[in-house]
Amino acid sequence: MHLLTELDQTSQYPRGHDCPAWRTWDETQDDGHGITQIGLERSPCFGECPVYTAVIHASGRVEYEGIMNVPRLGARVGRANLHYFRQLAWFITGTRFWDMESHYDFRDAVVSDAPGTCVLVATANRRKIVSNYADAGPPELWAIAGLIDLVLGSVEWE
């Protein structure tokens, strides 16, 4: 707790004061990001990498298929925490996702045993899938995939 106390005492914006980065409760519940689906597919490697596909809908519905090296095998349906979906959607909105290339791979090396990910983001008007082999893409893409995994960890499965 010492660090939190120190942070509170040294903050340029003590509690109760305006700070450009702070959001109101209503802002955290805002669906103005426009994202309707967020998906992740993890591909195999020569080791024990998890292999699955999941799509999280803005309604909270999750469609999942575990293929190998995951606790849940087969097709599953569940419900994600809507607050987590909104946080993830706003995070994606704040990144360069829509400007990213469709595929990232290492240009100067042959890597054949690394896992890959594909991240899907869709709105009412557009849909984009970005693949990221061996985390060769921008750090934001790696972060988005990790955050999707966190949201999937909170899913209540039927």
Side-chain angles (χ1 to χ4, degrees):
M1 279 297 210
H2 183 268
L3 291 176
L4 294 177
T5 304
E6 182 179 328
L7 179 63
D8 195 37
Q9 292 171 352
T10 61
S11 174
Q12 179 182 357
Y13 300 100
R15 291 182 187 264
H17 294 283
D18 288 333
C19 172
W22 288 2
R23 297 181 297 158
T24 65
W25 175 254
D26 291 339
E27 288 170 330
T28 66
Q29 302 304 304
D30 184 9
D31 290 327
H33 49 73
I35 294 176
T36 58
Q37 292 180 334
I38 300 170
L40 177 65
E41 180 175 283
R42 291 202 179 268
S43 65
C45 64
F46 287 140
E48 295 183 11
C49 299
V51 182
Y52 63 90
T53 301
V55 176
I56 308 166
H57 299 265
S59 66
R61 180 179 170 83
V62 176
E63 298 163 349
Y64 171 91
E65 183 175 2
I67 300 166
M68 60 191 257
N69 302 321
V70 291
R72 288 175 191 79
L73 293 173
R76 302 287 173 112
V77 174
R79 298 221 37 91
N81 181 308
L82 289 179
H83 175 73
Y84 294 161
F85 178 88
R86 286 186 203 104
Q87 294 290 89
L88 175 57
W90 279 115
F91 179 83
I92 292 168
T93 301
T95 67
R96 302 173 290 149
F97 184 82
W98 296 108
D99 298 326
M100 290 182 189
E101 300 292 327
S102 295
H103 180 75
Y104 290 96
D105 199 340
F106 289 108
R107 295 178 209 170
D108 58 351
V110 176
V111 179
S112 62
D113 65 342
T117 60
C118 286
V119 173
L120 157 76
V121 177
T123 67
N125 303 340
R126 62 183 170 172
R127 173 184 166 102
K128 182 167 187 164
I129 298 173
V130 178
S131 80
N132 189 17
Y133 180 69
D135 291 328
E140 297 98 332
L141 188 56
W142 170 83
I144 291 168
L147 290 171
I148 293 170
D149 279 334
L150 284 176
V151 174
L152 291 173
S154 72
V155 169
E156 293 181 19
W157 300 103
E158 295 177 0

